[in-house]
Amino acid sequence: MSDELQRIMAIDDPYLLLREVTARLADAQQEVTELARLRRRVVQDLHAQGLSYAQIAEKAGLSRGRIHQIRHTGPAPEGAFLGAGAVTIVTPLRWDGEKKRPVVAMADMNSGKRLEELAKSYGLDVSSGHVQVSGEVDLNRDGLVVVCGPGMSQAMSDLYAQDPVLGWEHPDGEPWALVDRRTGTSYRAGADTEPYRPHDVGYLGRLPRPDGNGSVLAIAGIHTAGSLGVVHLLASDLNALWGQVGERHFSTLVSVEYDPETDEPQSVELLTPLYLHDEETTA
């Protein structure tokens, strides 16, 4: 019996006991989910290295059937791309002059909901939050996935500034652009060019938290359709992304062709390589 369990069992106050047991069960369930994910990941990695299930079973002291079961059940390893145990999906609030209150843009709302559904499908606990109209947001929290560009938040602008390869530019009087410093290429949204076309550019990256104690998964489009396109990419190709970047810091740009009536993505593809930041800073 663990010390924590003994502490909880010794509580006399029944209401405090109920709260403590509920909280501990939630923590324990997250731990079980992440252990199951890790176990499946180890089996998959060993199998990918050329070991048979029988060989893995023999070396691990488990039955071949058990190893095969682990390989095909439980939360998929690529869920760790989004976070471990629990994630918080953060979208920006915008001031609505007519309603006289903060609101979430429809495309941002859709991005947030789809990210929540994606995270839940990988066995992650999900909560939501907002970047305030002022741009304030606490980025020093575990499991953050933030859908917000640099123009709406100084905190997010500072976060994006850590990217060694890709950057946001907003010259005086000019629309926002995303720049690949490696190639010198500047990307603009089709809505900001002549002739107009329903095309946007999205940013996807995992960047260091301001306090250095973790990471933030950052998503943004030059316009909201770009963010929605990035979410579409995650939902359709998370396994491939995870296989290439794992839990490392990285960034990439995404090309998004969308329906001009609904902002729904119609075609999504990578514009740049998946830049691994540890390789860029040592190059």
Side-chain angles (χ1 to χ4, degrees):
M1 186 181 298
S2 69
D3 292 342
E4 178 65 6
L5 181 55
Q6 291 184 45
R7 181 191 69 80
I8 292 174
M9 292 178 67
I11 295 174
D12 292 327
D13 184 332
Y15 301 106
L16 176 58
L17 177 61
L18 184 58
R19 289 198 300 272
E20 290 285 332
V21 169
T22 301
R24 181 60 186 140
L25 279 171
D27 291 342
Q29 184 56 56
Q30 286 186 8
E31 187 173 325
V32 168
T33 298
E34 290 309 310
L35 286 172
R37 192 190 314 280
L38 178 59
R39 182 175 62 175
R40 182 175 173 181
R41 174 182 172 185
V42 171
V43 171
Q44 289 185 189
D45 288 347
L46 290 172
H47 189 59
Q49 292 170 22
L51 277 72
S52 68
Y53 292 139
Q55 290 172 317
I56 298 170
E58 181 182 359
K59 291 180 179 295
L62 300 169
S63 70
R64 179 179 177 181
R66 184 63 173 138
I67 293 298
H68 193 272
Q69 181 186 42
I70 291 170
R71 169 62 180 83
H72 293 95
T73 60
E78 59 265 28
F81 184 96
L82 300 171
V87 298
T88 301
I89 311 298
V90 176
T91 51
L93 292 173
R94 305 164 189 262
W95 183 256
D96 188 312
E98 293 185 3
K99 297 180 179 179
K100 306 298 182 182
R101 61 180 176 84
V103 298
V104 179
M106 181 59 69
D108 288 335
M109 183 182 297
N110 288 337
S111 291
K113 288 183 177 179
R114 291 171 193 181
L115 283 168
E116 289 182 17
E117 293 169 359
L118 180 63
K120 287 177 181 178
S121 74
Y122 284 100
L124 296 164
D125 288 340
V126 182
S127 58
S128 61
H130 295 294
V131 178
Q132 299 304 309
V133 173
S134 64
E136 294 180 17
V137 58
D138 178 11
L139 298 177
N140 294 322
R141 292 178 281 168
D142 293 336
L144 277 186
V145 181
V146 183
V147 181
C148 182
M152 299 187 69
S153 168
Q154 185 60 50
M156 288 302 296
S157 180
D158 293 342
L159 187 78
Y160 287 119
Q162 299 181 79
D163 191 318
V165 192
L166 304 174
W168 294 82
E169 290 189 353
H170 187 38
D172 290 341
E174 296 291 329
W176 281 97
L178 279 157
V179 179
D180 184 337
R181 301 187 191 98
R182 170 72 74 83
T183 63
T185 307
S186 179
Y187 298 94
R188 297 187 183 278
D192 300 325
T193 61
E194 292 290 344
Y196 164 87
R197 68 186 182 106
H199 171 266
D200 203 2
V201 181
Y203 175 102
L204 169 65
R206 184 180 295 117
L207 302 168
R209 277 169 30 175
D211 65 2
N213 294 324
S215 302
V216 177
L217 190 65
I219 297 170
I222 294 179
H223 299 289
T224 53
S227 301
L228 206 54
V230 172
V231 175
H232 180 82
L233 178 72
L234 291 175
S236 61
D237 217 12
L238 190 64
N239 186 48
L241 292 169
W242 164 255
Q244 295 182 70
V245 306
E247 298 173 37
R248 298 160 71 183
H249 292 146
F250 79 97
S251 58
T252 190
L253 298 183
V254 179
S255 172
V256 183
E257 302 282 350
Y258 60 91
D259 184 327
E261 298 297 324
T262 64
D263 281 353
E264 286 296 322
Q266 295 182 320
S267 174
V268 178
E269 61 182 7
L270 294 182
L271 271 176
T272 70
L274 291 160
Y275 289 120
L276 296 172
H277 293 175
D278 53 358
E279 295 181 359
E280 293 300 320
T281 55
T282 58

